[in-house]
Amino acid sequence: MPITGSKVHPRGQATFARVLGHYVRQEKVLSLMTALRKNDVDAAQRLEKRAPMFRDKGRIRVGADADITISSQKK
């Protein structure tokens, strides 16, 4: 089953948001940095062995392909 298109696999829809919301904020079983590493850098590192273009994915540095969201919360 594809992750995009008319018949979409559930893993292609908001899975990262669930990890952050449920396991980081609610259950507190993962730290935010661990969850981000597992979702981004670890996946890119596994894939870069077969596809060198993934060396620039999942990292925040000059020249890297990174989509980031920064939010602030007042306490």
Side-chain angles (χ1 to χ4, degrees):
M1 186 177 280
I3 60 170
T4 60
S6 60
K7 293 183 178 181
V8 179
H9 193 282
R11 277 181 257 159
Q13 302 296 313
T15 348
F16 297 153
R18 174 160 172 74
V19 168
L20 295 177
H22 184 75
Y23 295 105
V24 173
R25 283 194 298 262
Q26 293 173 355
E27 298 295 323
K28 296 181 178 21
V29 293
L30 290 173
S31 71
L32 178 60
M33 297 312 292
T34 299
L36 292 174
R37 179 182 46 80
K38 287 177 174 283
N39 285 331
D40 296 324
V41 178
D42 287 358
Q45 286 175 335
R46 281 192 303 274
L47 292 169
E48 74 184 30
K49 292 174 183 150
R50 295 193 182 257
M53 66 193 241
F54 281 95
R55 286 188 191 116
D56 290 329
K57 308 287 186 195
R59 293 144 172 103
I60 298 175
R61 68 170 187 261
V62 175
D65 302 331
D67 296 325
I68 62 172
T69 302
I70 300 171
S71 65
S72 63
Q73 296 178 346
K74 292 184 179 182
K75 290 185 178 189

